[in-house]
Amino acid sequence: MPTHSDIVKRWRDLRTMLIEQLEMFESGSLTLRAGGVDVSAGAVADLKREILEFDALIAEDEAQNPAP
């Protein structure tokens, strides 16, 4: 079973990749289409929200379970 520090490290790695994707969406170099419609703006909003929510979960967990 992964330790808390393993989970935090994996989240930080994933977070970095997600932020890179966000930058690509925002610059227009990456678009997301569904049914022929550009849904990139919605994808950007969803990614930002999910990143912030998970950041908050990690911060809350770290506050409740400080590293020794």
Side-chain angles (χ1 to χ4, degrees), residues 21-41:
Q21 285 184 348
L22 273 175
E23 291 169 355
M24 292 171 62
F25 277 122
E26 290 174 329
S27 72
S29 64
L30 180 64
T31 57
L32 184 63
R33 296 192 164 283
V37 176
D38 183 355
V39 294
S40 300

Side-chain angles (χ1 to χ4, degrees), residues 5-37:
S5 61
D6 292 336
I7 292 169
V8 170
K9 181 184 179 333
R10 289 175 65 189
W11 166 241
R12 288 186 179 137
D13 293 343
L14 176 59
R15 185 181 192 279
T16 299
M17 290 187 312
L18 290 172
I19 289 171
E20 288 171 1
Q21 285 184 348
L22 273 175
E23 291 169 355
M24 292 171 62
F25 277 122
E26 290 174 329
S27 72
S29 64
L30 180 64
T31 57
L32 184 63
R33 296 192 164 283
V37 176

